[in-house]
Structures are given as structure tokens and as C-alpha cells.
Amino acid sequence: MNGFELIIFDCDGVLVDSERLANQVFAQCLNEECGLSFSLEEMFETFVGHSSSQCMSIVENMLGHAPPSHLESRYESEINAALARDVIAVKGIEKAISEISIPICVASSGSHEKINTTLGKTNLLNCFKGHIFSASEVKHGKPAPDIYKHAAAAMGVIPSKKCLVIEDSPLGVQGAVAAGMTVFGYAELMKEHRLIDAGAHHLFNEMKDLSAEIYSYEHED
């Protein structure tokens, strides 16, 4: 892995298998609070990769008026409770991390509370302790490049071209590309064409193969 000096992981859907669970909970909240009905696929298409405040803006645009004032707090409370109870690690992520010899960190749209909850539940927290960055720390969330640039600076001012980002959402891919970084799209749940259209440089489907995927990419002719 001589080409890269830092690997930046998204959290939800990349480190922890939280997207299905979180979107099921959010869909129920939207139905009960706003009368909006979404399939799980529609939830992925509409909300995955957005921060909670961005999700509220999307809902407001759909409704044509502000959603109930307590929707965001209910959304965050119920999702955090569900994740603390049921979230599991992405299959193969422990192997992937164990085979990486360069610095790693997390750059997520989620709050620090949510990130700590999910990484703690899945026993991944110690892998990233002190190297966890939330979009709440920067002015603009994904798809802006702010969180990635912030993470690279905090990790030692790593040049963008030396950073590899692992993302599973089009918004995340767009932001990392905008930051001038190489992006691997993890396509286990997200449709591949959406990650390609967002600018992903490489796609893969098995997290356990990440080290091999990086080696192959770095040694392409």
C-alpha cells in the first residue's frame, strides 16, 4: 500500500451494517409523523449519506412545509436506540482493518454519539479511537469535501492525492472526489451505477477483500 498514506472510512454501511436498520426506523417515523410512505429501496435512494439536518430539509421539501418540530429528535433517539441494540459490523471489516498497515480514520455524516454507539457495539471503537471525525465539525456536510479535508489535516496534513476513501453512498463519493481523493465505492447495498455516476474510481463488493483490492488498484498498468 505504498501509494496511499491514509485510508478514510465512512461509518454507516462501510464499518457497521446500520443502513438497513436505520432506514427502517426512519421510514416508520416518517409514516407516523408525516404520512409519508417509503419502501426500503426508496429510503436508500432518498436519504442515505445525508446528515439528520439534511434529511429534515428533504422532508420539508416533500411536504411543502416544516415537519413536526420533534421529528428530528425522535428520528435520532429511535435510531440510536435501535443501533445500540441490534447493529452489527459489516461482514469482513475486521479482516480488512487487520491487513491495513497505514493510518486509518473515520469521516462520517453521523454525530459523534451515533458513531461511538455503533463502533462501540461492534467492538470497532478501539481501531479508530482519537481518529473519528463527524460532519458536525465542519461547515458543510457531504457532498461537500469539508469532512474529508478536515480528516486528512487532523491526521497529519496528508496530501489529498495520498488519501483513499471507502464510501458506500453517492453523496460521500462526490464529496471525496471533490476533495481530490481516490474513492473506492463499496457496492454491497448501493446500486453500482450510482457510485460510478458519482465518480468512484473503483468498485468492490466484499469488505474482506479490501487489502487485495487496494493492492490490485495500486499495481494496475
Side-chain angles (χ1 to χ4, degrees):
M1 298 183 191
N2 293 331
F4 296 116
E5 296 179 5
L6 174 68
I7 300 180
I8 303 174
F9 288 89
D10 179 37
C11 187
D12 293 305
V14 171
L15 298 176
V16 296
D17 189 8
S18 55
E19 296 288 21
R20 277 173 286 218
L21 181 60
N23 280 282
Q24 287 168 352
V25 172
F26 189 28
Q28 183 176 346
C29 290
L30 289 174
N31 183 260
E32 293 176 358
E33 298 287 352
C34 304
L36 296 173
S37 181
F38 292 93
S39 67
L40 190 56
E41 182 177 357
E42 290 169 336
M43 291 295 296
F44 270 76
E45 292 282 337
T46 307
F47 297 106
V48 167
H50 289 283
S51 66
S52 61
S53 60
Q54 289 172 330
C55 287
M56 294 304 109
S57 295
I58 293 170
V59 173
E60 182 170 350
N61 288 336
M62 289 179 171
L63 294 173
H65 57 80
S69 59
H70 62 273
L71 177 62
E72 186 171 4
S73 61
R74 176 184 173 184
Y75 157 84
E76 292 182 341
S77 175
E78 293 192 10
I79 285 176
N80 285 341
L83 292 174
R85 184 177 62 247
D86 297 322
V87 73
I88 60 174
V90 163
K91 185 178 180 181
I93 189 61
E94 295 94 342
K95 177 177 182 291
I97 291 173
S98 72
E99 294 175 345
I100 293 170
S101 58
I102 61 175
I104 59 175
C105 67
V106 177
S108 173
S109 292
S111 65
H112 276 286
E113 179 186 5
K114 182 181 179 185
I115 299 166
N116 287 327
T117 294
T118 56
L119 294 185
K121 172 67 174 176
T122 54
N123 296 317
L124 295 173
L125 189 59
N126 284 336
C127 298
F128 296 96
K129 209 144 193 178
H131 300 152
I132 296 172
F133 308 101
S134 165
S136 63
E137 301 170 44
V138 296
K139 185 173 182 180
H140 301 291
K142 303 174 185 181
D146 301 31
I147 183 62
Y148 306 102
K149 291 182 176 181
H150 172 59
M155 292 295 292
V157 196
I158 308 297
S160 293
K161 65 182 181 179
K162 292 293 187 179
C163 297
L164 171 63
V165 177
I166 313 300
E167 271 284 357
D168 71 321
S169 77
L171 286 180
V173 171
Q174 289 171 17
V177 169
M181 300 175 179
T182 299
V183 189
F184 279 18
Y186 178 52
E188 197 266 334
L189 290 177
M190 185 60 64
K191 293 177 180 177
E192 291 189 356
H193 75 87
R194 294 197 64 205
L195 298 173
I196 292 172
D197 291 346
H201 300 95
H202 180 76
L203 298 182
F204 71 111
N205 296 292
E206 295 283 347
M207 191 59 72
K208 66 180 177 60
D209 296 331
L210 178 57
S211 181
E213 297 280 354
I214 295 171
Y215 181 87
S216 176
Y217 183 83
E218 289 185 330
H219 292 81
E220 286 179 352
D221 293 333

